[in-house]
């Protein structure tokens, strides 16, 4: 799934004391504008001998960015006069910027007593420090006190919202962000945080509006556009999202930000069925950051969707090497092993996941299917019932449960071949033929019917030309002879997956056959049983009914048995196929 850069990280709004443009001690800590007349007002007349001169010397070192000398001068100033507020205020700010939280607490607690005029600012800063120290409840108390002292002061509302998010009190956090923005309609960080909160709770239109405001307030920052693009993608406006993601690339970002954009672009492309482009983007991201397990995981997903199981397995394994506890990679690896018939390995992985996470939905589904394939129907039903308690609207789980219930009513015929190990299935889809692809694209550009181009692309086994025809308006399901029929006949998993992603249906018959029966029953001279087994496994993985019967009541397994295709029959049995006639 998509990731979002969390703008709530390191984002407490603190008050700053007088500073200089040369101060560059911490690239991580965001620095905010100083409050005017905040610490240097005329009320601070008491100072010991030398305190003011030492403070002025500290300011000079501050301008030069010399942290050690600044702190030495401030310490000397406070030794001369412990109640000299400007020195203590500057030191508390420096300690916050350098993440010296304990020292900042001491200074801020002293400032609350010494500087009551600005107590709201000091309470706000103390709350920020306590939040950084992992004490959100205590931080809330300080933010509450700041708001009591100055209800028109927006920063403690923002900061309190971040502490509330830490405590998982998102409704109250949203109220505080709304209040901060009402008090300061140009409060950029509040819009970022509110957009992120909307995003995390699935309110993508509201997130889009907030990130658009961020783009207006800070037009030169590509990160706001990237966040906006992600909200567009999650809200279903994927083509628009790709345009905005593309504008973010080449923005002279740090490499990890470019990787983030490429990663989310690839996820969006995958959701549009454009897995070739998604793979290309992930390859680029991996060249930039070869140690990011999420990139390998998502590239593995693009391979899996196209039936390139061995490549998917390698990428999931790489992700697990880098992050051994990556549950999603382990679960998807089990899906690969199920597709390849390596059931013992799949069971070992799924048992490991469910021992740690008993309600992991995909693991429950995979183990339920595995138990059904192995004839362990009561265990299959237990897993699927548990899954449906967790995800009651999971239609695929309900369908799998119905299969297990049906098969549990009578044992599998003992005369059928044992479960098939399909490690020897043929290689993945071949690359697009360049010359035929080029001719098809030229014909499309010249104005030829997209439907005709789609038909030609299926015949030529050209994924690029098929995608271009669909993008130009061809229907994946509207032809007199469905394009899906040609893709199934060609045993080209990429074309099958593309058509299914663009609207083709596995519930509509093809020439009077259920799609899987069509695959099993209609052969070309070039077909092998291995080709058909691979295509059948892919169709079942995409939701085809492995026991869907034709008008005579024959299931795909019946068709394979009648044709004496023993390899294919064993493969169908391993997928859960049962005879209807025998």
């Amino acid at each position: 799934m998509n990731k979002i850069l969390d703008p709530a990280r390191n984002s407490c709004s603190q008050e700053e004391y007088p500073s200089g443009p040369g101060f560059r001690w911490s690239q991580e800590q965001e620095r905010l504008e100083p409050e005017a007349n905040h610490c240097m007002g005329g009320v601070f007349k008491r100072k010991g001998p030398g305190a003011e001169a030492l403070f002025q010397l500290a300011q000079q070192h501050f301008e030069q960015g010399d942290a050690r000398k600044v702190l030495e001068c401030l310490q000397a100033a406070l030794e001369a006069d412990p109640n000299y507020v400007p020195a203590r205020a500057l030191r508390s700010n420096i300690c916050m910027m350098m993440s010296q939280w304990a020292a900042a607490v001491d200074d801020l607690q002293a400032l609350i007593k010494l500087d009551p005029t600005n107590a709201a600012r000091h309470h706000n800063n103390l709350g920020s420090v306590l939040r950084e120290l992992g004490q959100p409840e205590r931080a809330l108390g300080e933010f509450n006190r700041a708001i009591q002292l100055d209800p028109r002061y927006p920063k403690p509302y923002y900061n309190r919202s971040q502490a509330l998010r830490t405590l998982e009190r998102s409704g109250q956090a949203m109220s505080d962000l709304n209040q901060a923005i009402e008090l300061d309609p140009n409060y950029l960080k509040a819009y970022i945080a509110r957009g992120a909160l909307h995003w995390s709770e699935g309110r993508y239109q509201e997130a889009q509006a907030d990130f658009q405001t961020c783009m207006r307030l800070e037009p030169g920052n590509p990160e706001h556009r990237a966040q906006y693009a992600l909200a567009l993608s999650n809200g279903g406006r994927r083509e628009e999202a790709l345009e905005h993601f593309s504008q973010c690339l080449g923005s002279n970002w740090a490499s990890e930000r470019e990787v983030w954009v490429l990663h989310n672009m690839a996820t969006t492309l995958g959701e549009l069925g454009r897995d070739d482009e998604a793979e290309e983007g992930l390859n680029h991201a991996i060249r930039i950051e070869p140690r990011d397990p999420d990139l390998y995981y998502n590239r593995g997903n693009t391979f899996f969707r196209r039936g390139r199981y061995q490549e998917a397995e390698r990428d999931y394994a790489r992700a697990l090497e880098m992050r051994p506890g990556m549950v999603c990679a382990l679960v998807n690896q089990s899906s690969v092993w199920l597709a390849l018939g390596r059931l013992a390995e799949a069971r070992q992985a799924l048992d490991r996941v469910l021992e740690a996470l008993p309600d992991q939905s995909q693991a429950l589904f995979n183990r339920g299917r595995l138990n059904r394939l192995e004839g362990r129907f009561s265990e299959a039903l237990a897993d699927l019932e548990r899954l449906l308690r967790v995800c009651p609207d999971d239609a695929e789980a309900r369908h799998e449960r119905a299969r297990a219930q049906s098969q549990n009513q009578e044992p599998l015929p003992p005369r059928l071949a044992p479960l098939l190990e399909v490690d020897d299935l043929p290689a993945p889809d071949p690359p697009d033929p360049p010359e035929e692809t080029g001719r098809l694209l030229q014909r499309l550009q010249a104005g030829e019917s997209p439907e005709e181009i789609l038909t030609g692309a299926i015949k030529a086994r050209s994924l690029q030309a098929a995608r271009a025809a669909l993008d130009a308006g061809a229907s994946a399901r509207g032809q007199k002879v469905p394009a899906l029929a040609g893709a199934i006949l060609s045993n080209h998993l990429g074309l099958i997956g593309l058509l299914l992603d663009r609207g083709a249906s596995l519930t509509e018959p093809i020439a009077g056959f259920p799609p899987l029966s069509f695959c099993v029953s209609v052969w070309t001279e070039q077909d092998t049983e291995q080709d058909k087994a691979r295509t059948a496994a892919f169709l079942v993985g995409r939701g085809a009914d492995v026991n869907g019967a034709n008008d005579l009541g024959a299931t795909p397994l019946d068709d394979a048995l009648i044709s004496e295709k023993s390899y294919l029959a064993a493969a169908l049995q391993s997928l859960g196929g049962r005879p209807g006639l025998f």
Side-chain angles (χ1 to χ4, degrees):
M1 72 178 285
N2 297 88
K3 301 186 297 182
I4 190 166
L5 297 176
D6 187 355
R9 293 178 187 165
N10 300 322
S11 62
C12 284
S13 283
Q14 63 195 47
E15 293 304 320
E16 266 198 43
Y17 305 106
S19 61
F23 195 59
R24 296 289 185 273
W25 295 348
S26 173
Q27 296 180 352
E28 296 294 329
Q29 183 72 33
E30 181 176 357
R31 301 183 65 239
L32 305 175
E33 72 283 359
E35 288 286 322
N37 299 321
H38 175 153
C39 306
M40 302 299 290
V43 297
F44 304 121
K45 299 297 185 182
R46 294 181 59 251
K47 51 185 176 291
E52 183 175 7
L54 288 165
F55 175 72
Q56 291 173 350
L57 183 59
Q59 287 185 302
Q60 294 175 17
H61 292 307
F62 189 93
E63 293 282 349
Q64 298 164 5
D66 190 332
R68 183 181 61 83
K69 290 183 179 179
V70 171
L71 291 174
E72 287 177 355
C73 290
L74 292 174
Q75 179 63 29
L78 290 169
E79 288 174 358
D81 183 354
N83 296 331
Y84 187 49
V85 169
R88 195 170 291 278
L90 179 56
R91 190 172 70 175
S92 71
N93 190 53
I94 291 170
C95 289
M96 286 187 284
M97 297 171 71
M98 297 178 68
S99 301
Q100 295 180 4
W101 308 116
V105 167
D106 293 339
D107 278 334
L108 289 166
Q109 287 176 334
L111 284 166
I112 289 169
K113 298 176 181 178
L114 294 170
D115 184 17
T117 303
N118 293 295
R121 274 74 177 165
H122 303 316
H123 280 290
N124 175 64
N125 283 357
L126 181 55
S128 299
V129 171
L130 291 171
R131 180 170 171 259
E132 293 289 348
L133 287 170
Q135 302 176 38
E137 293 284 4
R138 287 187 63 196
L140 283 180
E142 297 301 326
F143 298 138
N144 291 340
R145 183 60 179 150
I147 290 168
Q148 290 171 358
L149 291 170
D150 188 352
R152 304 294 300 170
Y153 178 31
K155 290 182 179 179
Y157 291 101
Y158 166 82
N159 283 331
R160 189 170 67 177
S161 77
Q162 302 310 289
L164 288 166
R165 283 199 68 183
T166 301
L167 296 168
E168 300 183 355
R169 292 156 62 178
S170 60
Q172 293 170 275
M174 181 63 72
S175 296
D176 273 354
L177 289 169
N178 291 337
Q179 183 64 31
I181 289 170
E182 182 178 336
L183 292 170
D184 182 357
N186 294 321
Y187 198 166
L188 176 63
K189 291 178 71 176
Y191 283 108
I192 295 173
R194 192 173 70 176
L197 183 52
H198 282 311
W199 183 92
S200 69
E201 297 185 345
R203 294 186 295 272
Y204 300 122
Q205 288 187 336
E206 291 85 347
Q208 292 162 21
D210 277 340
F211 291 131
Q212 273 188 308
T213 301
C214 295
M215 292 164 62
R216 175 179 59 79
L217 292 174
E218 195 176 31
N221 188 340
E223 192 158 321
H224 305 320
R225 185 177 297 278
Q227 302 282 26
Y228 176 59
L230 182 55
L232 287 173
S233 178
N234 291 126
R237 297 163 61 183
R238 296 187 179 91
E239 294 291 354
E240 293 176 71
L242 290 176
E243 294 179 12
H244 285 281
F245 278 134
S246 297
Q247 291 181 47
C248 294
L249 295 175
S251 299
N252 199 27
W253 269 3
S255 60
E256 65 270 15
R257 291 296 194 259
E258 185 174 2
V259 166
W260 183 87
V261 171
L262 289 166
H263 192 177
N264 283 288
M265 280 188 73
T267 301
T268 303
L269 288 164
E271 289 166 347
L272 289 169
R274 294 159 62 177
D275 280 316
D276 286 349
E277 295 170 78
E279 180 187 344
E280 183 180 345
L282 289 165
N283 289 341
H284 184 186
I286 287 169
R287 286 193 292 271
I288 298 172
E289 183 46 76
R291 299 298 302 169
D292 186 339
D294 292 320
L295 299 176
Y296 291 98
Y297 167 75
N298 278 292
R299 191 174 68 176
N301 291 344
T302 70
F303 290 141
F304 184 85
R305 286 193 294 268
R306 290 174 288 170
R308 293 163 61 177
Y309 297 127
Q310 288 83 1
E311 292 166 277
E313 181 185 13
R314 284 196 294 270
D315 270 355
Y316 294 144
R318 288 192 187 101
L320 287 164
E321 286 174 8
M322 298 174 195
R323 191 185 296 162
M326 194 174 189
V327 170
C328 54
L330 187 58
V331 172
N332 283 10
Q333 195 175 53
S334 77
S335 299
V336 169
W337 289 332
L338 279 173
L340 294 175
R342 290 158 56 181
L343 306 185
E345 293 170 88
R347 180 172 295 283
Q348 184 179 16
L350 292 167
D351 287 347
R352 176 182 161 193
V353 171
L354 290 169
E355 183 179 356
L357 300 168
D359 291 332
Q360 213 287 333
S361 58
Q362 187 62 47
L364 284 169
F365 179 85
N366 284 0
R367 196 171 70 177
R369 172 172 285 181
L370 171 58
N371 284 326
R372 178 180 62 79
L373 295 177
E374 292 186 333
R376 300 160 71 163
F377 299 117
S378 60
E379 295 174 55
L381 289 169
D383 280 338
L384 294 166
E385 292 289 354
R386 184 177 190 114
L387 169 57
L388 287 167
R389 286 195 295 272
V390 176
C391 304
D393 297 327
D394 190 328
E396 195 173 5
R398 289 198 300 271
H399 184 58
E400 186 67 25
R401 181 182 62 179
R403 288 179 178 178
Q405 288 170 335
S406 173
Q407 293 176 19
N408 194 30
Q409 293 174 2
E410 62 176 291
L412 286 171
R415 61 189 177 85
L416 289 181
L419 295 177
L420 178 68
E421 293 285 343
V422 289
D423 291 328
D424 57 341
L425 290 183
D429 300 329
D432 289 355
E435 293 183 5
E436 292 179 76
T437 298
R439 284 194 293 268
L440 287 164
L441 294 175
Q442 288 177 356
R443 287 165 54 192
L444 182 64
Q445 291 174 353
E448 192 166 334
S449 163
E451 283 76 13
E452 293 293 331
I453 300 303
L454 179 59
T455 300
I458 300 296
K459 184 177 180 180
R461 297 163 63 92
S462 171
L463 192 61
Q464 181 183 358
R467 182 177 292 113
L470 290 165
D471 289 342
S475 171
R477 61 191 299 181
Q479 295 89 344
K480 185 175 181 181
V481 177
L484 185 60
I488 291 174
L489 280 176
S490 71
N491 296 304
H492 194 294
L493 305 192
L495 288 170
I496 296 171
L498 173 65
L499 292 168
L500 293 175
D501 290 338
R502 297 296 184 93
S505 173
L506 287 173
T507 61
E508 296 178 359
I510 299 175
F513 292 93
L516 188 59
S517 290
F518 179 82
C519 169
V520 172
S521 302
V522 182
W523 291 62
T524 68
E525 292 181 359
Q526 294 79 27
D527 286 341
T528 67
E529 288 191 62
Q530 288 83 359
D531 292 332
K532 289 292 187 180
R534 177 172 171 259
T535 303
F538 184 75
L539 290 170
V540 171
R542 290 299 300 260
D545 186 355
V546 72
N547 291 311
N550 62 21
D551 292 341
L552 299 176
T555 67
L557 180 56
D558 289 321
D559 293 329
L561 291 169
I562 292 169
S563 304
E564 297 184 348
K565 305 294 186 184
S566 59
Y567 184 100
L568 179 57
L572 289 167
Q573 184 187 352
S574 77
L575 294 167
R578 292 176 56 79
L581 299 177
F582 296 95

